Amino acid sequence: MKHDQLLALEAIVTTGTFRGAAERLNKSQSAVSHTIRQLEDALELTLFFRDSYRPRLTAEGRVFYREASRVLAQMRDLGATAARLRAREEPELRLAVTATLPLDHLLPVLAAIGRDFPATHLRLSTEMMGGPIARLLQGRADLAIATLDGVPVDEVETRRLTEVTIRPVACREMAAELGPELLSVSRMQTIPQIVVAGTNGPEDSQSRDLLPGGRKWTVSDFHAKRQVILAGQGWGGMPEHLIHDDIACGGLVALAVEGFPPRRSEIFAIRRKDQAPGPVATALWGGLSEALNQG
């Protein structure tokens, strides 16, 4: 029984197919199948039923996988411990943050990290839609702060930080014309809904809070979205903290839209399980939850 055999077992179970496991492990499907056959031969057990497209664990396979998962978790912990023992202050720390996060809560944490680790270059990128998670999974960020939408939760460690309310709004003049009653989907379909493009390419487009069949304008970020909505060119959902002053002065007005209630979006700190954090990343991870929850 070898480590790579247990990893192949885990990958098949979590992805649901031998093909998915092969893609995750960057191996051929035949190599993954051979690895599992070797494991079954060594154990003298059949771990999977293979009579359908998706392999299913046998009764013995379920018991073995449960124990194997514990062993793999312990091995990852040991690897992380060894890496921390070897680690020195990272020369650079890359943080990918969703644009819906109020940065006012994050900046004091980063200031403390900057004081405690002056040799580390902090690189902060503000991302739209699935951008933070894409950066993390592609190895272009050491830590992400985002929602859990689309996150492979078996591959990451998460810590809940805060929540943000997304509220549909329009400018004062448009809101007055629409009226205070609940606005139907058919009424709102005639007005452009302003949405933001993702920072992970064309496939990373907004999929939540979209009215079906409606007109749509796409902008690059929330700053542009706010300006377009204030100019009366359309309506859309905005993070509440970004429009607090506009709501207070009446420049923007909250709308009651059928199928688009104000949505509370939970924000998490997210890091990969397979990458051992250095001392700076560990300090940042440890300081985030308390600071943001206080905020």
mmCIF file of all heavy atoms in Angstrom, residues 136-186:
data_model
loop_
_atom_site.group_PDB
_atom_site.id
_atom_site.type_symbol
_atom_site.label_atom_id
_atom_site.label_comp_id
_atom_site.label_asym_id
_atom_site.label_seq_id
_atom_site.Cartn_x
_atom_site.Cartn_y
_atom_site.Cartn_z
ATOM 1 N N LEU A 136 -6.316 31.099 -6.749
ATOM 2 C CA LEU A 136 -5.853 30.188 -5.716
ATOM 3 C C LEU A 136 -5.589 28.796 -6.285
ATOM 4 O O LEU A 136 -4.525 28.205 -6.055
ATOM 5 C CB LEU A 136 -6.894 30.109 -4.598
ATOM 6 C CG LEU A 136 -6.543 29.197 -3.421
ATOM 7 C CD1 LEU A 136 -5.403 29.794 -2.595
ATOM 8 C CD2 LEU A 136 -7.773 28.972 -2.534
ATOM 9 N N LEU A 137 -6.536 28.266 -7.046
ATOM 10 C CA LEU A 137 -6.407 26.903 -7.558
ATOM 11 C C LEU A 137 -5.344 26.797 -8.648
ATOM 12 O O LEU A 137 -4.766 25.727 -8.852
ATOM 13 C CB LEU A 137 -7.760 26.418 -8.080
ATOM 14 C CG LEU A 137 -8.881 26.319 -7.040
ATOM 15 C CD1 LEU A 137 -10.162 25.807 -7.679
ATOM 16 C CD2 LEU A 137 -8.464 25.423 -5.876
ATOM 17 N N GLN A 138 -5.092 27.894 -9.347
ATOM 18 C CA GLN A 138 -4.063 27.895 -10.385
ATOM 19 C C GLN A 138 -2.669 28.188 -9.835
ATOM 20 O O GLN A 138 -1.701 28.235 -10.584
ATOM 21 C CB GLN A 138 -4.411 28.937 -11.453
ATOM 22 C CG GLN A 138 -5.663 28.604 -12.255
ATOM 23 C CD GLN A 138 -6.183 29.793 -13.044
ATOM 24 O OE1 GLN A 138 -5.553 30.866 -13.093
ATOM 25 N NE2 GLN A 138 -7.345 29.626 -13.673
ATOM 26 N N GLY A 139 -2.565 28.367 -8.512
ATOM 27 C CA GLY A 139 -1.269 28.637 -7.911
ATOM 28 C C GLY A 139 -0.796 30.058 -8.066
ATOM 29 O O GLY A 139 0.382 30.353 -7.840
ATOM 30 N N ARG A 140 -1.707 30.983 -8.404
ATOM 31 C CA ARG A 140 -1.332 32.386 -8.571
ATOM 32 C C ARG A 140 -1.699 33.229 -7.359
ATOM 33 O O ARG A 140 -1.557 34.448 -7.378
ATOM 34 C CB ARG A 140 -1.995 32.953 -9.827
ATOM 35 C CG ARG A 140 -1.535 32.267 -11.109
ATOM 36 C CD ARG A 140 -2.075 32.937 -12.348
ATOM 37 N NE ARG A 140 -3.516 32.781 -12.470
ATOM 38 C CZ ARG A 140 -4.362 33.769 -12.678
ATOM 39 N NH1 ARG A 140 -3.926 35.018 -12.763
ATOM 40 N NH2 ARG A 140 -5.660 33.537 -12.790
ATOM 41 N N ALA A 141 -2.191 32.588 -6.301
ATOM 42 C CA ALA A 141 -2.483 33.260 -5.035
ATOM 43 C C ALA A 141 -2.207 32.281 -3.908
ATOM 44 O O ALA A 141 -2.424 31.069 -4.055
ATOM 45 C CB ALA A 141 -3.919 33.759 -4.992
ATOM 46 N N ASP A 142 -1.723 32.801 -2.788
ATOM 47 C CA ASP A 142 -1.465 31.967 -1.618
ATOM 48 C C ASP A 142 -2.690 31.854 -0.725
ATOM 49 O O ASP A 142 -2.825 30.881 0.017
ATOM 50 C CB ASP A 142 -0.307 32.563 -0.816
ATOM 51 C CG ASP A 142 0.950 32.722 -1.649
ATOM 52 O OD1 ASP A 142 1.459 31.698 -2.131
ATOM 53 O OD2 ASP A 142 1.391 33.869 -1.844
ATOM 54 N N LEU A 143 -3.568 32.821 -0.821
ATOM 55 C CA LEU A 143 -4.775 32.832 0.000
ATOM 56 C C LEU A 143 -5.834 33.631 -0.733
ATOM 57 O O LEU A 143 -5.528 34.630 -1.383
ATOM 58 C CB LEU A 143 -4.480 33.456 1.366
ATOM 59 C CG LEU A 143 -5.537 33.333 2.455
ATOM 60 C CD1 LEU A 143 -4.872 33.219 3.826
ATOM 61 C CD2 LEU A 143 -6.453 34.559 2.460
ATOM 62 N N ALA A 144 -7.071 33.157 -0.646
ATOM 63 C CA ALA A 144 -8.182 33.865 -1.278
ATOM 64 C C ALA A 144 -9.199 34.256 -0.217
ATOM 65 O O ALA A 144 -9.360 33.571 0.796
ATOM 66 C CB ALA A 144 -8.846 32.994 -2.342
ATOM 67 N N ILE A 145 -9.888 35.352 -0.471
ATOM 68 C CA ILE A 145 -11.029 35.751 0.344
ATOM 69 C C ILE A 145 -12.195 35.913 -0.604
ATOM 70 O O ILE A 145 -12.186 36.783 -1.479
ATOM 71 C CB ILE A 145 -10.759 37.049 1.116
ATOM 72 C CG1 ILE A 145 -9.575 36.855 2.074
ATOM 73 C CG2 ILE A 145 -11.984 37.486 1.886
ATOM 74 C CD1 ILE A 145 -9.218 38.090 2.869
ATOM 75 N N ALA A 146 -13.187 35.029 -0.462
ATOM 76 C CA ALA A 146 -14.275 34.983 -1.437
ATOM 77 C C ALA A 146 -15.430 34.176 -0.876
ATOM 78 O O ALA A 146 -15.362 33.656 0.242
ATOM 79 C CB ALA A 146 -13.775 34.358 -2.747
ATOM 80 N N THR A 147 -16.499 34.063 -1.658
ATOM 81 C CA THR A 147 -17.579 33.145 -1.321
ATOM 82 C C THR A 147 -17.139 31.726 -1.661
ATOM 83 O O THR A 147 -16.096 31.519 -2.294
ATOM 84 C CB THR A 147 -18.858 33.476 -2.108
ATOM 85 O OG1 THR A 147 -18.653 33.149 -3.494
ATOM 86 C CG2 THR A 147 -19.215 34.951 -1.971
ATOM 87 N N LEU A 148 -17.946 30.757 -1.279
ATOM 88 C CA LEU A 148 -17.634 29.360 -1.568
ATOM 89 C C LEU A 148 -18.270 28.879 -2.867
ATOM 90 O O LEU A 148 -18.247 27.677 -3.153
ATOM 91 C CB LEU A 148 -18.088 28.461 -0.410
ATOM 92 C CG LEU A 148 -17.346 28.659 0.918
ATOM 93 C CD1 LEU A 148 -17.825 27.649 1.946
ATOM 94 C CD2 LEU A 148 -15.832 28.555 0.724
ATOM 95 N N ASP A 149 -18.809 29.794 -3.667
ATOM 96 C CA ASP A 149 -19.396 29.408 -4.949
ATOM 97 C C ASP A 149 -18.325 28.789 -5.844
ATOM 98 O O ASP A 149 -17.302 29.413 -6.140
ATOM 99 C CB ASP A 149 -20.002 30.625 -5.663
ATOM 100 C CG ASP A 149 -21.174 31.214 -4.894
ATOM 101 O OD1 ASP A 149 -21.775 30.472 -4.096
ATOM 102 O OD2 ASP A 149 -21.476 32.405 -5.091
ATOM 103 N N GLY A 150 -18.547 27.561 -6.265
ATOM 104 C CA GLY A 150 -17.615 26.904 -7.178
ATOM 105 C C GLY A 150 -16.337 26.416 -6.547
ATOM 106 O O GLY A 150 -15.404 26.025 -7.249
ATOM 107 N N VAL A 151 -16.253 26.424 -5.223
ATOM 108 C CA VAL A 151 -15.017 26.011 -4.545
ATOM 109 C C VAL A 151 -15.018 24.497 -4.335
ATOM 110 O O VAL A 151 -15.991 23.949 -3.796
ATOM 111 C CB VAL A 151 -14.882 26.728 -3.187
ATOM 112 C CG1 VAL A 151 -13.667 26.220 -2.423
ATOM 113 C CG2 VAL A 151 -14.776 28.227 -3.393
ATOM 114 N N PRO A 152 -13.965 23.781 -4.729
ATOM 115 C CA PRO A 152 -13.865 22.351 -4.434
ATOM 116 C C PRO A 152 -13.510 22.168 -2.953
ATOM 117 O O PRO A 152 -12.340 22.151 -2.565
ATOM 118 C CB PRO A 152 -12.735 21.875 -5.354
ATOM 119 C CG PRO A 152 -11.888 23.086 -5.576
ATOM 120 C CD PRO A 152 -12.822 24.267 -5.518
ATOM 121 N N VAL A 153 -14.517 22.040 -2.113
ATOM 122 C CA VAL A 153 -14.317 22.128 -0.668
ATOM 123 C C VAL A 153 -13.422 21.017 -0.128
ATOM 124 O O VAL A 153 -12.854 21.160 0.957
ATOM 125 C CB VAL A 153 -15.668 22.133 0.077
ATOM 126 C CG1 VAL A 153 -16.431 23.411 -0.213
ATOM 127 C CG2 VAL A 153 -16.509 20.918 -0.295
ATOM 128 N N ASP A 154 -13.293 19.908 -0.862
ATOM 129 C CA ASP A 154 -12.409 18.843 -0.389
ATOM 130 C C ASP A 154 -10.940 19.186 -0.585
ATOM 131 O O ASP A 154 -10.071 18.536 -0.011
ATOM 132 C CB ASP A 154 -12.731 17.528 -1.109
ATOM 133 C CG ASP A 154 -12.604 17.653 -2.616
ATOM 134 O OD1 ASP A 154 -13.261 18.555 -3.189
ATOM 135 O OD2 ASP A 154 -11.840 16.894 -3.225
ATOM 136 N N GLU A 155 -10.653 20.231 -1.381
ATOM 137 C CA GLU A 155 -9.269 20.592 -1.684
ATOM 138 C C GLU A 155 -8.778 21.790 -0.882
ATOM 139 O O GLU A 155 -7.612 22.152 -0.976
ATOM 140 C CB GLU A 155 -9.128 20.905 -3.182
ATOM 141 C CG GLU A 155 -9.467 19.746 -4.101
ATOM 142 C CD GLU A 155 -9.325 20.125 -5.561
ATOM 143 O OE1 GLU A 155 -8.521 21.033 -5.862
ATOM 144 O OE2 GLU A 155 -10.012 19.520 -6.400
ATOM 145 N N VAL A 156 -9.659 22.412 -0.114
ATOM 146 C CA VAL A 156 -9.286 23.660 0.544
ATOM 147 C C VAL A 156 -9.680 23.630 2.015
ATOM 148 O O VAL A 156 -10.486 22.824 2.462
ATOM 149 C CB VAL A 156 -9.959 24.879 -0.132
ATOM 150 C CG1 VAL A 156 -9.527 24.998 -1.585
ATOM 151 C CG2 VAL A 156 -11.482 24.785 -0.033
ATOM 152 N N GLU A 157 -9.072 24.545 2.757
ATOM 153 C CA GLU A 157 -9.452 24.823 4.140
ATOM 154 C C GLU A 157 -10.108 26.192 4.154
ATOM 155 O O GLU A 157 -9.642 27.120 3.487
ATOM 156 C CB GLU A 157 -8.223 24.804 5.035
ATOM 157 C CG GLU A 157 -8.506 25.048 6.513
ATOM 158 C CD GLU A 157 -7.238 25.029 7.350
ATOM 159 O OE1 GLU A 157 -6.146 24.788 6.804
ATOM 160 O OE2 GLU A 157 -7.359 25.278 8.567
ATOM 161 N N THR A 158 -11.194 26.326 4.893
ATOM 162 C CA THR A 158 -11.928 27.590 4.887
ATOM 163 C C THR A 158 -12.145 28.101 6.303
ATOM 164 O O THR A 158 -12.152 27.336 7.264
ATOM 165 C CB THR A 158 -13.298 27.439 4.198
ATOM 166 O OG1 THR A 158 -14.114 26.547 4.967
ATOM 167 C CG2 THR A 158 -13.151 26.898 2.788
ATOM 168 N N ARG A 159 -12.338 29.398 6.399
ATOM 169 C CA ARG A 159 -12.659 30.047 7.666
ATOM 170 C C ARG A 159 -13.621 31.190 7.379
ATOM 171 O O ARG A 159 -13.308 32.108 6.618
ATOM 172 C CB ARG A 159 -11.386 30.568 8.340
ATOM 173 C CG ARG A 159 -11.635 31.342 9.621
ATOM 174 C CD ARG A 159 -10.334 31.659 10.322
ATOM 175 N NE ARG A 159 -9.708 30.452 10.843
ATOM 176 C CZ ARG A 159 -8.519 30.426 11.447
ATOM 177 N NH1 ARG A 159 -7.830 31.532 11.582
ATOM 178 N NH2 ARG A 159 -8.016 29.292 11.888
ATOM 179 N N ARG A 160 -14.813 31.097 7.967
ATOM 180 C CA ARG A 160 -15.804 32.143 7.716
ATOM 181 C C ARG A 160 -15.349 33.458 8.330
ATOM 182 O O ARG A 160 -14.928 33.510 9.480
ATOM 183 C CB ARG A 160 -17.167 31.750 8.294
ATOM 184 C CG ARG A 160 -18.279 32.739 7.945
ATOM 185 C CD ARG A 160 -19.572 32.410 8.684
ATOM 186 N NE ARG A 160 -20.654 33.298 8.291
ATOM 187 C CZ ARG A 160 -20.810 34.540 8.736
ATOM 188 N NH1 ARG A 160 -19.941 35.040 9.616
ATOM 189 N NH2 ARG A 160 -21.819 35.292 8.329
ATOM 190 N N LEU A 161 -15.486 34.536 7.542
ATOM 191 C CA LEU A 161 -15.014 35.839 7.997
ATOM 192 C C LEU A 161 -16.154 36.820 8.264
ATOM 193 O O LEU A 161 -16.228 37.430 9.311
ATOM 194 C CB LEU A 161 -14.061 36.436 6.966
ATOM 195 C CG LEU A 161 -12.791 35.629 6.672
ATOM 196 C CD1 LEU A 161 -11.968 36.345 5.613
ATOM 197 C CD2 LEU A 161 -11.979 35.410 7.942
ATOM 198 N N THR A 162 -17.025 36.980 7.288
ATOM 199 C CA THR A 162 -18.061 38.003 7.411
ATOM 200 C C THR A 162 -19.135 37.736 6.365
ATOM 201 O O THR A 162 -19.072 36.727 5.656
ATOM 202 C CB THR A 162 -17.459 39.415 7.215
ATOM 203 O OG1 THR A 162 -18.427 40.400 7.536
ATOM 204 C CG2 THR A 162 -16.954 39.618 5.812
ATOM 205 N N GLU A 163 -20.106 38.603 6.263
ATOM 206 C CA GLU A 163 -21.093 38.506 5.195
ATOM 207 C C GLU A 163 -21.381 39.887 4.641
ATOM 208 O O GLU A 163 -21.226 40.908 5.336
ATOM 209 C CB GLU A 163 -22.377 37.826 5.669
ATOM 210 C CG GLU A 163 -23.215 38.617 6.633
ATOM 211 C CD GLU A 163 -24.525 37.890 6.975
ATOM 212 O OE1 GLU A 163 -24.558 36.652 6.880
ATOM 213 O OE2 GLU A 163 -25.491 38.593 7.317
ATOM 214 N N VAL A 164 -21.761 39.898 3.393
ATOM 215 C CA VAL A 164 -22.029 41.144 2.675
ATOM 216 C C VAL A 164 -23.430 41.040 2.075
ATOM 217 O O VAL A 164 -23.812 39.981 1.573
ATOM 218 C CB VAL A 164 -20.989 41.371 1.557
ATOM 219 C CG1 VAL A 164 -21.357 42.579 0.713
ATOM 220 C CG2 VAL A 164 -19.602 41.549 2.151
ATOM 221 N N THR A 165 -24.191 42.125 2.126
ATOM 222 C CA THR A 165 -25.519 42.150 1.532
ATOM 223 C C THR A 165 -25.452 42.766 0.140
ATOM 224 O O THR A 165 -24.900 43.854 -0.045
ATOM 225 C CB THR A 165 -26.503 42.948 2.403
ATOM 226 O OG1 THR A 165 -26.626 42.309 3.669
ATOM 227 C CG2 THR A 165 -27.878 43.017 1.749
ATOM 228 N N ILE A 166 -25.985 42.040 -0.845
ATOM 229 C CA ILE A 166 -26.089 42.532 -2.219
ATOM 230 C C ILE A 166 -27.529 42.996 -2.420
ATOM 231 O O ILE A 166 -28.476 42.224 -2.249
ATOM 232 C CB ILE A 166 -25.744 41.433 -3.242
ATOM 233 C CG1 ILE A 166 -24.395 40.776 -2.896
ATOM 234 C CG2 ILE A 166 -25.742 42.000 -4.650
ATOM 235 C CD1 ILE A 166 -23.216 41.709 -2.972
ATOM 236 N N ARG A 167 -27.696 44.274 -2.783
ATOM 237 C CA ARG A 167 -29.041 44.855 -2.842
ATOM 238 C C ARG A 167 -29.304 45.439 -4.230
ATOM 239 O O ARG A 167 -28.468 46.183 -4.765
ATOM 240 C CB ARG A 167 -29.161 45.953 -1.779
ATOM 241 C CG ARG A 167 -30.559 46.503 -1.593
ATOM 242 C CD ARG A 167 -30.596 47.483 -0.435
ATOM 243 N NE ARG A 167 -30.254 46.850 0.837
ATOM 244 C CZ ARG A 167 -31.092 46.138 1.568
ATOM 245 N NH1 ARG A 167 -32.333 45.964 1.160
ATOM 246 N NH2 ARG A 167 -30.699 45.610 2.715
ATOM 247 N N PRO A 168 -30.468 45.126 -4.850
ATOM 248 C CA PRO A 168 -30.785 45.719 -6.152
ATOM 249 C C PRO A 168 -31.140 47.203 -6.008
ATOM 250 O O PRO A 168 -31.927 47.576 -5.132
ATOM 251 C CB PRO A 168 -31.993 44.902 -6.626
ATOM 252 C CG PRO A 168 -32.614 44.372 -5.376
ATOM 253 C CD PRO A 168 -31.498 44.172 -4.392
ATOM 254 N N VAL A 169 -30.560 48.026 -6.873
ATOM 255 C CA VAL A 169 -30.769 49.476 -6.780
ATOM 256 C C VAL A 169 -30.912 50.085 -8.168
ATOM 257 O O VAL A 169 -30.525 49.498 -9.178
ATOM 258 C CB VAL A 169 -29.601 50.172 -6.038
ATOM 259 C CG1 VAL A 169 -29.537 49.750 -4.584
ATOM 260 C CG2 VAL A 169 -28.269 49.896 -6.737
ATOM 261 N N ALA A 170 -31.452 51.298 -8.176
ATOM 262 C CA ALA A 170 -31.511 52.127 -9.377
ATOM 263 C C ALA A 170 -31.329 53.570 -8.936
ATOM 264 O O ALA A 170 -31.391 53.893 -7.741
ATOM 265 C CB ALA A 170 -32.842 51.947 -10.107
ATOM 266 N N CYS A 171 -31.115 54.461 -9.901
ATOM 267 C CA CYS A 171 -30.979 55.868 -9.547
ATOM 268 C C CYS A 171 -32.336 56.436 -9.117
ATOM 269 O O CYS A 171 -33.390 55.828 -9.343
ATOM 270 C CB CYS A 171 -30.405 56.665 -10.718
ATOM 271 S SG CYS A 171 -31.546 56.852 -12.108
ATOM 272 N N ARG A 172 -32.311 57.595 -8.513
ATOM 273 C CA ARG A 172 -33.519 58.211 -7.944
ATOM 274 C C ARG A 172 -34.615 58.365 -9.001
ATOM 275 O O ARG A 172 -35.780 58.024 -8.768
ATOM 276 C CB ARG A 172 -33.164 59.572 -7.351
ATOM 277 C CG ARG A 172 -34.355 60.316 -6.760
ATOM 278 C CD ARG A 172 -34.044 61.768 -6.458
ATOM 279 N NE ARG A 172 -32.988 61.927 -5.490
ATOM 280 C CZ ARG A 172 -31.783 62.432 -5.740
ATOM 281 N NH1 ARG A 172 -31.491 62.845 -6.970
ATOM 282 N NH2 ARG A 172 -30.879 62.567 -4.798
ATOM 283 N N GLU A 173 -34.243 58.861 -10.173
ATOM 284 C CA GLU A 173 -35.239 59.137 -11.204
ATOM 285 C C GLU A 173 -35.880 57.846 -11.720
ATOM 286 O O GLU A 173 -37.100 57.766 -11.906
ATOM 287 C CB GLU A 173 -34.593 59.904 -12.362
ATOM 288 C CG GLU A 173 -34.128 61.316 -12.005
ATOM 289 C CD GLU A 173 -32.809 61.313 -11.225
ATOM 290 O OE1 GLU A 173 -32.141 60.241 -11.163
ATOM 291 O OE2 GLU A 173 -32.448 62.371 -10.689
ATOM 292 N N MET A 174 -35.062 56.822 -11.952
ATOM 293 C CA MET A 174 -35.603 55.554 -12.441
ATOM 294 C C MET A 174 -36.483 54.898 -11.386
ATOM 295 O O MET A 174 -37.561 54.360 -11.703
ATOM 296 C CB MET A 174 -34.476 54.597 -12.849
ATOM 297 C CG MET A 174 -34.981 53.256 -13.370
ATOM 298 S SD MET A 174 -33.634 52.142 -13.856
ATOM 299 C CE MET A 174 -33.022 52.986 -15.315
ATOM 300 N N ALA A 175 -36.049 54.950 -10.128
ATOM 301 C CA ALA A 175 -36.838 54.350 -9.054
ATOM 302 C C ALA A 175 -38.193 55.043 -8.917
ATOM 303 O O ALA A 175 -39.216 54.390 -8.686
ATOM 304 C CB ALA A 175 -36.066 54.421 -7.739
ATOM 305 N N ALA A 176 -38.210 56.363 -9.059
ATOM 306 C CA ALA A 176 -39.476 57.092 -8.962
ATOM 307 C C ALA A 176 -40.418 56.706 -10.102
ATOM 308 O O ALA A 176 -41.629 56.567 -9.904
ATOM 309 C CB ALA A 176 -39.205 58.598 -8.988
ATOM 310 N N GLU A 177 -39.870 56.502 -11.272
ATOM 311 C CA GLU A 177 -40.692 56.107 -12.424
ATOM 312 C C GLU A 177 -41.236 54.685 -12.250
ATOM 313 O O GLU A 177 -42.380 54.404 -12.611
ATOM 314 C CB GLU A 177 -39.854 56.192 -13.696
ATOM 315 C CG GLU A 177 -40.629 55.836 -14.954
ATOM 316 C CD GLU A 177 -39.763 55.951 -16.205
ATOM 317 O OE1 GLU A 177 -38.701 56.600 -16.127
ATOM 318 O OE2 GLU A 177 -40.154 55.379 -17.239
ATOM 319 N N LEU A 178 -40.415 53.804 -11.674
ATOM 320 C CA LEU A 178 -40.846 52.415 -11.490
ATOM 321 C C LEU A 178 -41.867 52.271 -10.372
ATOM 322 O O LEU A 178 -42.730 51.400 -10.414
ATOM 323 C CB LEU A 178 -39.618 51.532 -11.185
ATOM 324 C CG LEU A 178 -38.647 51.314 -12.342
ATOM 325 C CD1 LEU A 178 -37.373 50.650 -11.845
ATOM 326 C CD2 LEU A 178 -39.304 50.464 -13.432
ATOM 327 N N GLY A 179 -41.754 53.102 -9.343
ATOM 328 C CA GLY A 179 -42.689 53.033 -8.227
ATOM 329 C C GLY A 179 -42.206 52.117 -7.120
ATOM 330 O O GLY A 179 -41.278 51.321 -7.305
ATOM 331 N N PRO A 180 -42.847 52.189 -5.955
ATOM 332 C CA PRO A 180 -42.370 51.463 -4.778
ATOM 333 C C PRO A 180 -42.868 50.016 -4.691
ATOM 334 O O PRO A 180 -42.424 49.258 -3.835
ATOM 335 C CB PRO A 180 -42.936 52.280 -3.611
ATOM 336 C CG PRO A 180 -44.218 52.841 -4.170
ATOM 337 C CD PRO A 180 -43.947 53.120 -5.630
ATOM 338 N N GLU A 181 -43.814 49.619 -5.553
ATOM 339 C CA GLU A 181 -44.383 48.275 -5.447
ATOM 340 C C GLU A 181 -43.382 47.221 -5.924
ATOM 341 O O GLU A 181 -42.344 47.546 -6.507
ATOM 342 C CB GLU A 181 -45.672 48.183 -6.272
ATOM 343 C CG GLU A 181 -45.469 48.241 -7.782
ATOM 344 C CD GLU A 181 -45.363 49.662 -8.322
ATOM 345 O OE1 GLU A 181 -45.405 50.613 -7.514
ATOM 346 O OE2 GLU A 181 -45.226 49.812 -9.552
ATOM 347 N N LEU A 182 -43.719 45.949 -5.664
ATOM 348 C CA LEU A 182 -42.890 44.848 -6.134
ATOM 349 C C LEU A 182 -42.869 44.857 -7.658
ATOM 350 O O LEU A 182 -43.915 44.830 -8.310
ATOM 351 C CB LEU A 182 -43.430 43.505 -5.626
ATOM 352 C CG LEU A 182 -42.642 42.258 -6.033
ATOM 353 C CD1 LEU A 182 -41.257 42.257 -5.402
ATOM 354 C CD2 LEU A 182 -43.411 40.990 -5.642
ATOM 355 N N LEU A 183 -41.658 44.895 -8.224
ATOM 356 C CA LEU A 183 -41.500 45.025 -9.670
ATOM 357 C C LEU A 183 -41.420 43.641 -10.303
ATOM 358 O O LEU A 183 -40.631 42.801 -9.882
ATOM 359 C CB LEU A 183 -40.243 45.837 -9.981
ATOM 360 C CG LEU A 183 -40.233 47.251 -9.397
ATOM 361 C CD1 LEU A 183 -38.850 47.864 -9.474
ATOM 362 C CD2 LEU A 183 -41.249 48.115 -10.134
ATOM 363 N N SER A 184 -42.219 43.414 -11.311
ATOM 364 C CA SER A 184 -42.274 42.093 -11.947
ATOM 365 C C SER A 184 -41.040 41.859 -12.813
ATOM 366 O O SER A 184 -40.378 42.802 -13.266
ATOM 367 C CB SER A 184 -43.532 41.984 -12.799
ATOM 368 O OG SER A 184 -43.450 42.861 -13.913
ATOM 369 N N VAL A 185 -40.782 40.588 -13.078
ATOM 370 C CA VAL A 185 -39.680 40.228 -13.960
ATOM 371 C C VAL A 185 -39.887 40.828 -15.344
ATOM 372 O O VAL A 185 -38.960 41.385 -15.944
ATOM 373 C CB VAL A 185 -39.537 38.697 -14.045
ATOM 374 C CG1 VAL A 185 -38.551 38.308 -15.137
ATOM 375 C CG2 VAL A 185 -39.100 38.123 -12.718
ATOM 376 N N SER A 186 -41.116 40.751 -15.859
ATOM 377 C CA SER A 186 -41.386 41.264 -17.205
ATOM 378 C C SER A 186 -41.122 42.767 -17.285
ATOM 379 O O SER A 186 -40.629 43.261 -18.307
ATOM 380 C CB SER A 186 -42.827 40.948 -17.614
ATOM 381 O OG SER A 186 -43.753 41.525 -16.697
#
